[in-house]
Protein backbone atom coordinates (compact mmCIF):
# COMPACT_ATOMS: atom_id res chain seq x y z
CA UNK A 1 0.00 0.00 0.00
CA UNK A 2 1.64 3.20 -1.22
CA UNK A 3 0.08 6.63 -0.78
CA UNK A 4 1.71 9.45 -2.74
CA UNK A 5 1.05 12.96 -1.40
CA UNK A 6 2.33 15.56 -3.82
CA UNK A 7 1.87 19.18 -4.72
CA UNK A 8 1.94 18.43 -8.46
CA UNK A 9 -1.16 18.62 -10.60
CA UNK A 10 -3.18 15.49 -11.35
CA UNK A 11 -1.78 14.83 -14.82
CA UNK A 12 1.81 15.07 -13.60
CA UNK A 13 1.12 12.76 -10.65
CA UNK A 14 -0.44 10.14 -12.95
CA UNK A 15 2.56 10.29 -15.27
CA UNK A 16 4.91 9.80 -12.33
CA UNK A 17 2.79 6.89 -11.12
CA UNK A 18 3.02 5.18 -14.51
CA UNK A 19 6.76 5.72 -14.87
CA UNK A 20 7.44 4.46 -11.34
CA UNK A 21 5.17 1.41 -11.90
CA UNK A 22 2.83 2.35 -9.07
CA UNK A 23 0.16 2.40 -11.77
CA UNK A 24 -0.18 0.05 -14.70
CA UNK A 25 -2.55 -0.69 -17.51
CA UNK A 26 -4.76 -3.18 -15.67
CA UNK A 27 -5.57 -0.81 -12.82
CA UNK A 28 -8.82 1.09 -12.54
CA UNK A 29 -8.53 4.72 -11.56
CA UNK A 30 -11.11 6.26 -9.23
CA UNK A 31 -10.87 10.03 -9.57
CA UNK A 32 -12.16 12.14 -6.68
CA UNK A 33 -12.09 15.66 -8.08
CA UNK A 34 -15.35 17.23 -6.86
CA UNK A 35 -15.40 20.84 -5.74
CA UNK A 36 -18.15 20.44 -3.12
CA UNK A 37 -18.86 17.98 -0.36
CA UNK A 38 -21.94 16.59 -2.12
CA UNK A 39 -19.98 16.00 -5.35
CA UNK A 40 -17.18 14.27 -3.46
CA UNK A 41 -19.63 12.07 -1.57
CA UNK A 42 -21.28 10.99 -4.84
CA UNK A 43 -17.92 10.21 -6.46
CA UNK A 44 -16.83 8.10 -3.48
CA UNK A 45 -20.17 6.27 -3.47
CA UNK A 46 -19.88 5.43 -7.17
CA UNK A 47 -16.28 4.29 -6.71
CA UNK A 48 -17.30 1.94 -3.91
CA UNK A 49 -20.12 0.53 -6.06
CA UNK A 50 -17.87 -0.02 -9.07
CA UNK A 51 -15.35 -2.08 -7.11
CA UNK A 52 -15.52 -5.70 -8.20
CA UNK A 53 -17.75 -5.16 -11.24
CA UNK A 54 -16.77 -4.98 -14.92
CA UNK A 55 -14.44 -2.04 -15.03
CA UNK A 56 -13.90 0.41 -17.90
CA UNK A 57 -10.58 1.18 -19.43
CA UNK A 58 -8.60 3.45 -17.07
CA UNK A 59 -8.47 6.96 -18.51
CA UNK A 60 -4.81 7.51 -17.65
CA UNK A 61 -3.46 4.49 -19.53
CA UNK A 62 -1.83 4.66 -22.92
CA UNK A 63 -3.38 2.53 -25.72
CA UNK A 64 -0.27 0.36 -25.98
CA UNK A 65 -0.52 -0.52 -22.30
CA UNK A 66 -3.65 -2.61 -22.79
CA UNK A 67 -3.76 -6.08 -24.23
CA UNK A 68 -7.17 -6.97 -22.83
CA UNK A 69 -10.08 -5.32 -21.10
CA UNK A 70 -10.33 -5.30 -17.35
CA UNK A 71 -13.00 -7.65 -16.08
CA UNK A 72 -14.47 -8.77 -12.80
CA UNK A 73 -11.66 -11.31 -12.44
CA UNK A 74 -9.29 -8.49 -11.50
CA UNK A 75 -8.95 -8.39 -7.70
CA UNK A 76 -9.92 -5.31 -5.73
CA UNK A 77 -6.27 -4.56 -5.01
CA UNK A 78 -5.74 -3.66 -8.69
CA UNK A 79 -7.32 -0.27 -8.19
CA UNK A 80 -5.96 3.24 -7.80
CA UNK A 81 -7.44 6.37 -6.28
CA UNK A 82 -6.56 9.91 -7.36
CA UNK A 83 -7.70 12.80 -5.17
CA UNK A 84 -7.25 16.51 -5.69
CA UNK A 85 -6.48 18.92 -2.89
CA UNK A 86 -9.84 20.65 -3.27
CA UNK A 87 -11.74 17.38 -2.93
CA UNK A 88 -9.56 16.33 -0.02
CA UNK A 89 -10.35 19.60 1.75
CA UNK A 90 -14.07 18.83 1.47
CA UNK A 91 -13.47 15.43 3.09
CA UNK A 92 -11.13 16.40 5.90
CA UNK A 93 -12.46 19.81 6.89
CA UNK A 94 -16.09 18.72 7.14
CA UNK A 95 -17.83 17.18 10.14
CA UNK A 96 -19.16 14.16 8.24
CA UNK A 97 -17.29 11.25 9.80
CA UNK A 98 -19.08 8.74 7.57
CA UNK A 99 -17.62 10.51 4.52
CA UNK A 100 -14.14 10.23 5.99
CA UNK A 101 -14.68 6.55 6.73
CA UNK A 102 -15.95 5.85 3.21
CA UNK A 103 -12.95 7.65 1.73
CA UNK A 104 -10.60 5.70 3.96
CA UNK A 105 -12.27 2.42 2.98
CA UNK A 106 -11.96 3.28 -0.70
CA UNK A 107 -8.27 4.05 -0.30
CA UNK A 108 -7.67 0.85 1.65
CA UNK A 109 -9.24 -1.18 -1.16
CA UNK A 110 -6.85 0.41 -3.64
CA UNK A 111 -3.27 -0.59 -4.25
CA UNK A 112 -2.11 2.98 -4.91
CA UNK A 113 -3.44 6.35 -3.73
CA UNK A 114 -2.38 9.60 -5.41
CA UNK A 115 -3.23 12.80 -3.57
CA UNK A 116 -2.46 15.84 -5.73
CA UNK A 117 -2.22 19.57 -5.15
CA UNK A 118 -2.07 19.24 -1.38
CA UNK A 119 -0.64 21.60 1.22
CA UNK A 120 1.68 20.56 4.07
CA UNK A 121 -1.27 20.66 6.47
CA UNK A 122 -3.30 18.35 4.23
CA UNK A 123 -0.43 15.89 4.09
CA UNK A 124 -0.46 15.76 7.87
CA UNK A 125 -4.25 15.35 7.92
CA UNK A 126 -4.09 12.38 5.55
CA UNK A 127 -1.65 10.60 7.86
CA UNK A 128 -3.84 11.41 10.87
CA UNK A 129 -6.86 10.04 8.97
CA UNK A 130 -5.12 6.70 8.54
CA UNK A 131 -4.11 6.65 12.20
CA UNK A 132 -7.68 7.50 13.27
CA UNK A 133 -9.45 4.69 11.44
CA UNK A 134 -6.76 2.03 11.80
CA UNK A 135 -5.26 1.75 15.26
CA UNK A 136 -3.20 -1.29 14.21
CA UNK A 137 -1.76 0.41 11.14
CA UNK A 138 1.92 1.34 11.18
CA UNK A 139 2.39 4.33 8.90
CA UNK A 140 5.70 5.40 7.42
CA UNK A 141 6.12 8.80 5.77
CA UNK A 142 8.98 9.65 3.41
CA UNK A 143 9.74 13.24 2.42
CA UNK A 144 12.58 15.35 1.12
CA UNK A 145 11.54 18.97 1.70
CA UNK A 146 10.32 21.42 4.31
CA UNK A 147 6.73 20.96 3.11
CA UNK A 148 6.92 17.30 4.21
CA UNK A 149 7.90 18.00 7.83
CA UNK A 150 4.33 17.98 9.18
CA UNK A 151 3.57 14.68 7.42
CA UNK A 152 6.78 13.08 8.69
CA UNK A 153 6.10 14.10 12.27
CA UNK A 154 2.50 12.85 12.12
CA UNK A 155 3.47 9.34 10.96
CA UNK A 156 4.57 6.56 13.30
CA UNK A 157 7.92 6.38 11.48
CA UNK A 158 9.38 9.29 9.56
CA UNK A 159 12.13 9.04 6.96
CA UNK A 160 13.77 12.17 5.59
CA UNK A 161 15.80 12.41 2.38
CA UNK A 162 18.58 14.97 2.40
CA UNK A 163 19.20 16.42 -1.00
CA UNK A 164 18.52 19.37 -3.26
CA UNK A 165 15.56 20.59 -1.21
CA UNK A 166 17.58 20.92 1.99
CA UNK A 167 17.82 19.00 5.23
CA UNK A 168 14.65 20.17 6.99
CA UNK A 169 12.91 16.83 6.39
CA UNK A 170 15.96 14.88 7.58
CA UNK A 171 16.20 16.91 10.78
CA UNK A 172 12.54 16.29 11.60
CA UNK A 173 12.57 12.57 10.73
CA UNK A 174 13.38 9.50 12.77
CA UNK A 175 15.76 8.26 10.06
CA UNK A 176 17.64 10.07 7.33
CA UNK A 177 18.83 8.65 4.01
CA UNK A 178 20.72 10.20 1.11
CA UNK A 179 18.64 8.80 -1.75
CA UNK A 180 15.21 7.24 -2.09
CA UNK A 181 16.67 3.95 -3.31
CA UNK A 182 18.20 3.42 0.14
CA UNK A 183 14.70 3.07 1.65
CA UNK A 184 14.47 -0.62 0.73
CA UNK A 185 17.72 -1.40 2.52
CA UNK A 186 16.69 0.71 5.52
CA UNK A 187 13.48 -1.27 5.92
CA UNK A 188 14.41 -4.81 4.97
CA UNK A 189 18.01 -5.01 6.20
CA UNK A 190 18.61 -2.47 8.95
CA UNK A 191 14.99 -2.33 10.10
CA UNK A 192 14.50 -6.10 10.14
CA UNK A 193 17.80 -6.65 11.93
CA UNK A 194 17.03 -3.95 14.50
CA UNK A 195 13.66 -5.54 15.24
CA UNK A 196 15.17 -9.00 15.61
CA UNK A 197 18.01 -7.81 17.85
CA UNK A 198 15.80 -5.64 20.04
CA UNK A 199 13.36 -8.52 20.48
CA UNK A 200 16.17 -10.78 21.61
CA UNK A 201 17.63 -8.11 23.92
CA UNK A 202 14.34 -7.38 25.71
CA UNK A 203 13.69 -11.07 26.34
CA UNK A 204 17.31 -11.58 27.44
CA UNK A 205 17.11 -8.75 30.01
CA UNK A 206 14.05 -10.29 31.65
CA UNK A 207 15.65 -13.74 31.51
CA UNK A 208 18.89 -12.71 33.25
CA UNK A 209 17.10 -10.68 35.93
CA UNK A 210 14.69 -13.51 36.70
CA UNK A 211 17.62 -15.95 36.91
CA UNK A 212 19.39 -13.61 39.32
CA UNK A 213 16.52 -12.61 41.62
CA UNK A 214 14.47 -15.81 41.97
CA UNK A 215 17.17 -17.60 44.05
CA UNK A 216 17.33 -14.56 46.35
CA UNK A 217 13.55 -14.65 46.84
CA UNK A 218 13.55 -18.41 47.55
CA UNK A 219 16.44 -18.19 50.03
CA UNK A 220 14.68 -15.31 51.79
CA UNK A 221 11.66 -17.53 52.37
CA UNK A 222 13.85 -20.25 53.89
CA UNK A 223 15.86 -17.85 56.09
CA UNK A 224 12.75 -15.96 57.23
CA UNK A 225 13.92 -12.81 55.47
CA UNK A 226 16.97 -12.48 57.69
CA UNK A 227 18.90 -10.56 55.02
CA UNK A 228 21.66 -13.13 54.64
CA UNK A 229 23.61 -12.75 51.41
CA UNK A 230 23.00 -15.38 48.77
CA UNK A 231 25.96 -14.45 46.56
CA UNK A 232 29.40 -13.27 47.58
CA UNK A 233 30.09 -9.61 46.79
CA UNK A 234 32.45 -10.27 43.88
CA UNK A 235 29.97 -12.41 41.95
CA UNK A 236 27.15 -10.10 42.99
CA UNK A 237 28.84 -7.13 41.34
CA UNK A 238 30.24 -9.06 38.40
CA UNK A 239 26.91 -10.58 37.34
CA UNK A 240 25.66 -7.50 35.49
CA UNK A 241 29.09 -6.02 34.75
CA UNK A 242 30.84 -9.07 33.31
CA UNK A 243 28.85 -12.30 33.27
CA UNK A 244 25.75 -11.04 31.45
CA UNK A 245 27.13 -7.85 29.89
CA UNK A 246 29.98 -9.34 27.87
CA UNK A 247 27.78 -11.88 25.99
CA UNK A 248 25.47 -9.05 24.97
CA UNK A 249 28.37 -7.02 23.59
CA UNK A 250 29.70 -9.93 21.53
CA UNK A 251 26.19 -10.68 20.32
CA UNK A 252 25.66 -7.08 19.17
CA UNK A 253 28.98 -7.00 17.32
CA UNK A 254 29.05 -10.36 15.57
CA UNK A 255 25.45 -11.52 15.22
CA UNK A 256 23.80 -10.69 11.92
CA UNK A 257 21.29 -12.83 10.14
CA UNK A 258 21.21 -10.81 6.91
CA UNK A 259 24.32 -9.28 5.38
CA UNK A 260 22.88 -7.74 2.23
CA UNK A 261 19.52 -6.90 0.73
CA UNK A 262 19.90 -9.75 -1.75
CA UNK A 263 19.91 -12.19 1.17
CA UNK A 264 16.43 -11.05 2.13
CA UNK A 265 14.54 -10.51 -1.11
CA UNK A 266 14.95 -14.01 -2.49
CA UNK A 267 11.49 -15.38 -3.27
CA UNK A 268 11.94 -18.34 -0.92
CA UNK A 269 13.32 -16.21 1.94
CA UNK A 270 11.40 -12.94 2.11
CA UNK A 271 7.94 -14.39 2.95
CA UNK A 272 9.30 -16.53 5.76
CA UNK A 273 11.30 -13.68 7.25
CA UNK A 274 8.34 -11.30 7.00
CA UNK A 275 6.04 -13.79 8.70
CA UNK A 276 8.55 -14.19 11.53
CA UNK A 277 8.42 -10.45 12.21
CA UNK A 278 4.73 -9.76 11.68
CA UNK A 279 3.48 -13.03 13.14
CA UNK A 280 4.96 -12.47 16.60
CA UNK A 281 7.53 -15.24 16.28
CA UNK A 282 10.33 -12.94 17.46
CA UNK A 283 8.49 -10.99 20.15
CA UNK A 284 5.11 -11.70 21.65
CA UNK A 285 3.34 -13.22 24.67
CA UNK A 286 4.29 -16.79 23.75
CA UNK A 287 7.96 -15.95 23.12
CA UNK A 288 8.14 -13.88 26.30
CA UNK A 289 6.58 -16.66 28.37
CA UNK A 290 9.15 -19.10 26.97
CA UNK A 291 12.03 -16.87 28.09
CA UNK A 292 10.46 -16.46 31.54
CA UNK A 293 10.19 -20.24 31.77
CA UNK A 294 13.87 -20.59 30.92
CA UNK A 295 14.70 -18.11 33.68
CA UNK A 296 12.64 -19.99 36.22
Amino acid sequence: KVWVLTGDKLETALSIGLSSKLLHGEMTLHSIVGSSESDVREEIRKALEVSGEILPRPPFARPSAFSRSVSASVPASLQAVAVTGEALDSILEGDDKDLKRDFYQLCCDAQTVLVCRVSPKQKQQVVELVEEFSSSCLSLAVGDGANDVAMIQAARVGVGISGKEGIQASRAADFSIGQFRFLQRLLFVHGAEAYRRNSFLINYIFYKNITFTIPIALVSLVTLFSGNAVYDQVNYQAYNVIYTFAPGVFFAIFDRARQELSDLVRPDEAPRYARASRGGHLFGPRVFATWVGFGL
Side-chain angles (χ1 to χ4, degrees), residues 9-191:
K9 58 183 181 180
L10 180 60
E11 293 77 9
T12 304
L14 293 177
S15 298
I16 295 174
L18 285 170
S19 61
S20 62
K21 297 182 180 180
L22 289 176
L23 303 176
H24 56 80
E26 292 188 348
M27 275 187 167
T28 298
L29 178 67
H30 303 294
S31 297
I32 311 298
V33 296
S35 58
S36 64
E37 184 174 333
S38 58
D39 294 338
V40 172
R41 182 183 293 105
E42 182 65 20
E43 289 173 342
I44 294 176
R45 184 189 64 81
K46 289 182 179 179
L48 290 174
E49 290 178 353
V50 167
S51 299
E53 300 177 0
I54 297 178
L55 305 175
R57 173 174 166 170
F60 61 83
R62 293 163 295 185
S64 60
F66 277 81
S67 58
R68 62 183 179 86
S69 60
V70 182
S71 63
S73 62
V74 178
S77 61
L78 295 181
Q79 301 182 45
V81 177
V83 189
T84 60
E86 187 177 10
L88 185 66
D89 190 63
S90 301
I91 298 172
L92 299 179
E93 296 297 336
D95 298 329
D96 192 345
K97 196 168 184 178
D98 292 335
L99 179 61
K100 296 179 181 179
R101 184 180 292 106
D102 291 341
F103 172 71
Y104 171 76
Q105 183 61 48
L106 176 63
C107 293
C108 287
D109 291 339
Q111 185 69 20
T112 302
V113 179
L114 299 176
V115 187
C116 317
R117 287 295 188 185
V118 290
S119 64
K121 180 182 178 182
Q122 288 177 320
K123 292 182 180 181
Q124 177 184 357
Q125 289 175 326
V126 170
V127 176
E128 292 174 347
L129 177 71
V130 176
E131 299 285 350
E132 178 183 357
F133 289 104
S134 179
S135 58
S136 61
C137 176
L138 182 61
S139 58
L140 181 144
V142 185
D144 63 349
N147 57 347
D148 298 319
V149 170
M151 173 186 67
I152 289 173
Q153 293 180 337
R156 298 280 187 93
V157 181
V159 178
I161 303 176
S162 58
K164 295 182 179 179
E165 297 196 27
I167 61 173
Q168 289 89 345
S170 297
R171 297 181 64 178
D174 301 304
F175 302 94
S176 176
I177 56 179
Q179 298 180 26
F180 187 81
R181 64 187 179 91
F182 297 148
L183 178 63
Q184 191 177 27
R185 181 176 178 83
L186 174 66
L187 294 177
F188 297 111
V189 176
H190 298 290

